[in-house]
Amino acid sequence: MSEAAVRAKELGDLLRSRRERLRPADVGLPEGARRRTRGLRREEVALLAAISPTYYTFLEQGREVQPSRQVLDALCTALRLDETERTHVHELVHGIPAAPAADPAAETLSPAVTALVDRLHPCPTYVTGRHWDVLAANRAARALWTDWQARRAEDRNMLVWMFTDPAARDVLVDWESEAAALLGRFRGTWARYPGDEAFAALLTRLQAESPEVRAWWPRHDVVPLSSGVKRLRHPALGEITLTHVVLQLADSPDQRLVTFSASEDVLARIDALSGLPGVPGLPALSGLPDAPGLPGPQRIAEGP
């Protein structure tokens, strides 16, 4: 399937899913008699967007037509899409500023980013790549999440951990909302690289191993990157609340540095905890050479 065909199908599936969520009363239309269609009828959406029913049907069917931005805006308004979904629709049809070509080689981090991850300890910090592979994680992050380097190479991935490792449900107090948001962010990035085989393979694996992904993916939810608050649970610390910011690297925009902060007391407890190798449930420090006097961050390789 060509890239254009993939994008057209994604747009059609999104339009249909949003149409089926709405009731006539939501958009000021009468219910009418003998309504068998779930949600709005196609002709009702076409009426609201001031386009022909045939043209709207073509869009839902995934035909490779090229609606104007004005038509897309009208459809987004008719279907009550939010700003994130509206942006996603425009990206599917008209693209975005030159997304870099997918590189099959393993992603790497610059030494400066690796050093920054180290220096942010005891604030838990990690870096994820285009496919949400975890490329680096400092001691504090490994103490709270998982020992990424101890995992198999194909499992060193935030999505894989979130949806296939039962431990994720213990670590994240609000697992369901966190998992749904992560999948929504993945969908937004996936749409930028419709020809990327690594994305396709990851999605296939997630759908095969996770009933939540199978149930949630057809919803076509898209979630933007954002800062916020996470609640984590640890056997030695109990439940803790962390605030976080997400930074995209200027030289590699698909790489994201996520760093967390908390009260001085919580950070002191994390610092003490992450410095105790061999405690049950805690990862020992990794084996990369350290700078003199500084514990090195865990650098995640793509190979074994």
Side-chain angles (χ1 to χ4, degrees), residues 26 112 158 165 187 201 216 262 271:
D26 296 331
M158 189 61 70
D165 190 337
R187 179 166 221 122
W216 297 345
D271 188 22

Side-chain angles (χ1 to χ4, degrees), residues 10 40 68 79 116 125 170 196 203 210 220 224 228 250 252:
E10 174 77 1
L40 297 178
S68 68
L79 293 171
L116 177 60
T125 304
D170 294 328
D196 190 328
L203 178 59
S210 169
H220 290 264
S252 302

Side-chain angles (χ1 to χ4, degrees), residues 151-163:
R151 301 171 69 86
R152 298 182 306 168
E154 60 269 27
D155 292 343
R156 298 169 191 165
N157 180 282
M158 189 61 70
L159 283 151
V160 171
W161 177 78
M162 180 75 80
F163 285 102

Side-chain angles (χ1 to χ4, degrees), residues 207-226:
Q207 289 176 322
E209 299 184 24
S210 169
E212 289 83 6
V213 174
R214 291 195 296 273
W216 297 345
W217 190 254
R219 297 178 186 175
H220 290 264
D221 292 332
V222 183
V223 178
L225 290 174
S226 63

